[in-house]
Amino acid sequence: MAMSVGPGGGDDKPLSDINTTPLVDVMLVLLIIFLIAVPVVVQTVDLQLPKVAFEPTTTKPENVSLSVTTATDGSCAVFWGMAPVNSSELLDRAVAKLEADIKKAGGVENMTPEDLPEVHIRGDINTPYRCIGGTIYTMQRAGFPKVGFISEPEPGTSTTRL
């Protein structure tokens, strides 16, 4: 059995260098496979996501302020200002409020969407979504086009806009 020991022929030590060529070849093949496969696997719909920033709320007197929480028995508790209301009272009161504001403005033809009152919902962090979602649905059913949420900014967040 013949063995090449390198130039010089005097050393009887075998070569101990690792042949990295097959490793590099395999890595290059894997790189090419992943470069081709990743764009195929990652498919998303092109969306322009909103930029989240804290903006102070400008409260107008005609806006409706609702608070939603969970009652002690586990049911939903909705407050119009400070007065508790159930879902039918909420709908009736919302329709009456919107009709009164439209009548005060002289009719729908004299109003723009910016003139309509907004609904501001303050939801307790431990309130189930069914309570808040039901409140949103009721207010939209009453005809309010703008329903928003009141939240607390994270500590240390600046309220000034650049």
Side-chain angles (χ1 to χ4, degrees):
M1 175 163 125
M3 185 167 134
S4 172
V5 288
D11 286 337
D12 287 340
K13 288 189 343 189
L15 292 175
S16 62
D17 293 336
I18 297 174
N19 186 3
T20 58
T21 304
L23 176 66
V24 171
D25 290 345
V26 168
M27 295 304 287
L28 286 173
V29 168
L30 288 174
L31 177 68
I32 291 170
I33 289 172
F34 284 120
L35 285 175
I36 293 170
V38 166
V40 173
V41 173
V42 179
Q43 294 180 355
T44 59
V45 176
D46 284 335
L47 296 175
Q48 186 173 5
L49 298 176
K51 304 291 185 241
V52 178
F54 171 72
E55 294 181 23
T57 306
T58 55
T59 304
K60 297 184 281 185
E62 64 268 9
N63 289 347
V64 176
S65 177
L66 300 176
S67 300
V68 183
T69 187
T70 309
T72 55
D73 62 353
S75 64
C76 301
V78 179
F79 295 86
W80 183 299
M82 294 297 290
V85 291
N86 61 29
S87 60
S88 63
E89 290 173 338
L90 179 63
L91 181 62
D92 294 342
R93 204 166 175 182
V95 169
K97 165 82 170 129
L98 197 55
E99 286 175 349
D101 285 349
I102 291 172
K103 188 175 182 180
K104 186 168 68 172
V108 178
E109 58 276 349
N110 295 334
M111 296 185 80
T112 63
E114 288 78 32
D115 296 333
L116 290 172
E118 300 176 5
V119 177
H120 297 165
I121 298 176
R122 295 175 58 237
D124 185 61
I125 196 167
N126 297 317
T127 302
Y129 179 74
R130 65 179 169 82
C131 297
I132 295 173
T135 305
I136 294 168
Y137 176 73
T138 302
M139 296 311 285
Q140 287 176 336
R141 211 171 118 205
F144 284 88
K146 297 178 190 174
V147 179
F149 295 100
I150 303 294
S151 62
E152 280 187 41
E154 292 194 21
T157 307
S158 174
T159 58
T160 58
R161 298 183 73 196
L162 299 176

